[in-house]
Amino acid sequence: MKLTKAQREQVRQKYDGHCAYCGCQLPERWHADHFEPCIRDLKRVEAPNGSVRLATTTPLRPERDVIENMMPACPPCNISKASMSLESWRGWLAGHINSLNSYHPIYRLAKQYSLITETGAPVVFHFERVDGAKGA
Ligand SMILES: [Zn+2]
C-alpha cells in the first residue's frame, strides 16, 4: 500500500522516531517495513519503446499490507531483513559473527588484539526492549 503522509508519520512515530529493530535515530530516508513479510510477485512490463521494467503485482498476503503491520526501519535493517520472518532474521544476524570469523582476517586479527570482544549476547530488537519495558 502507498502510505499517506500522515500514515507515514504515524509509522515513523511508533518508536519515537527510532528504527524498530536496531534503535538508531531514523535517517531522513527511512523505510516502512512489513513486520510480517508481504511478498509480492514481480511481473515484466514492456514499454512501447522496448524498455523492460519489473513491476509489483497484488501482494500475496494482502491482509499483511496494513499500517498495523508496518514498522519504521533504517535502510540497513530493512535491506538485511528483506522478506525474512523476524525469527529467521534474528538467526541470520546472530550468524554474522561466524561469517566474520570465517571470512574476515581483519576481524580475526582485531579480535586477537582484544580490540573486539564477542559478547555472545542474544539478538534483541529495539521494539522488544521498548515493548518489554512497557509491560506489553
Ligand atoms: Zn535499524
Side-chain angles (χ1 to χ4, degrees), residues 11-97:
V11 174
R12 198 177 76 83
Q13 286 305 329
K14 264 190 182 177
Y15 293 95
D16 283 333
H18 291 261
C19 172
Y21 302 112
C22 72
C24 76
Q25 189 87 42
L26 289 171
E28 203 170 313
R29 294 182 162 275
W30 61 279
H31 295 180
D33 171 64
H34 285 93
F35 183 68
E36 297 287 353
C38 172
I39 301 154
R40 291 160 190 271
D41 267 339
L42 291 174
K43 70 174 180 203
R44 285 168 59 91
V45 178
E46 201 165 330
N49 68 6
S51 71
V52 173
R53 68 184 172 88
L54 292 173
T56 55
T57 60
T58 319
L60 296 179
R61 300 295 298 265
E63 75 279 10
R64 291 178 174 177
D65 197 24
V66 292
I67 194 163
E68 292 75 21
N69 188 37
M70 297 284 192
M71 285 291 223
C74 70
C77 282
N78 187 245
I79 291 162
S80 170
K81 182 169 176 277
S83 59
M84 280 184 254
S85 72
L86 191 71
E87 294 315 315
S88 303
W89 187 38
R90 195 192 306 272
W92 166 255
L93 288 172
H96 285 358
I97 293 293

Side-chain angles (χ1 to χ4, degrees), residues 91-108:
W92 166 255
L93 288 172
H96 285 358
I97 293 293
N98 287 339
S99 304
L100 286 167
N101 281 312
S102 300
Y103 306 114
H104 291 267
I106 291 171
Y107 174 83
R108 286 198 301 266

